[in-house]
Amino acid sequence: MVQPEPELAAAGSESGLITIPQAVIFDLDGVITDTAEFHFLAWRQLGAELGIEVDRMLNEQLKGVSRLQSLELILAAAPEPVIVPEAVLEQLAARKNARYTSLISSITPKDILPGICSLLDDLRAAGLKLAIGSASRNAPFVLERLELAGAFDYVVDAGRIKRGKPDPETFLDAADYLKVSGRECIGIEDSAAGIEAIQRAGMFAVGIGSTHTLMQADYLVPSTQYLNRDDILGAYSRWIRRS
Ligand code: B16
Ligand code: MG
């Protein structure tokens, strides 16, 4: 099946009325801060202990995916099939999380990715509601370390979500709390699973990354420094008019 290509950041603006959405739902790891890299390092170390290579290609599949599901994907990449009892799965996931939390314990507001603070300010100035839709149970801790805990109207509690990304539940939960419809929301993600989740929630999907992994996004920038409120709203407006 031929996929529609994402609108790339350099597409430029178009004259005409801009439709303003009601809310923007941000992913956390890889969008607000580069904790995606710390997840990778922690999984790679656990993989090495188990004799499984966790390379960057496998890591792309882990982005946005819950801790236990990530572990299952890593075990599925073992050279020989492995059967691991539930209790051992929990122990391995806890070992990875201990490493991950030790890596993130020293992050500071300096670790907020470029362009994010001004984007949050500009969106807020335009009257939009802001939320975090992360799969991470560590999200409240990360937001606190970044001194961003008060910057969002709502933070989805990953522990309460029954079906993780690519299921839309995370994004629908945020829209529900903010009392807005899917069509009135923009989601911003760095993972393929997250982009799918946003689109299945009926929202406009902004991707951060490459066309190789995020081809499905409705609007794509190579990194957060290219995120700009007016460009995003312009692209959203064109999407609304097309759909
Ligand atoms: P934790 P996001 C996701 O966060 C990460 O991308 C993914 O790599 C991680 O496995 C997942 O959170 C669960 O995180 O182990 O901290 O609960 O990208 O949805 O903000
Ligand atoms: Mg992410």
Side-chain angles (χ1 to χ4, degrees), residues 27 29 189-190:
D27 175 46
D29 295 324
E189 263 286 351
D190 71 321

Side-chain angles (χ1 to χ4, degrees), residues 84-102:
V84 182
E86 184 97 18
V88 178
L89 283 178
E90 296 284 350
Q91 279 168 21
L92 293 173
R95 203 196 298 174
K96 179 268 175 179
N97 193 51
R99 271 192 207 113
Y100 174 69
T101 48
S102 122

Side-chain angles (χ1 to χ4, degrees), residues 17-68:
L17 283 179
I18 292 222
T19 314
I20 303 286
Q22 296 298 313
V24 181
I25 306 166
F26 287 80
D27 175 46
L28 178 67
D29 295 324
V31 170
I32 301 286
T33 183
D34 200 13
T35 35
E37 190 62 17
F38 294 139
H39 279 295
F40 170 58
L41 295 175
W43 282 127
R44 194 175 59 175
Q45 195 177 339
L46 185 75
E49 287 163 15
L50 300 172
I52 303 168
E53 189 191 350
V54 178
D55 60 15
R56 291 211 176 256
M57 217 160 75
L58 174 55
N59 187 54
E60 280 307 318
Q61 294 174 45
L62 311 181
K63 286 185 181 174
V65 171
S66 77
R67 201 178 304 165
L68 274 175

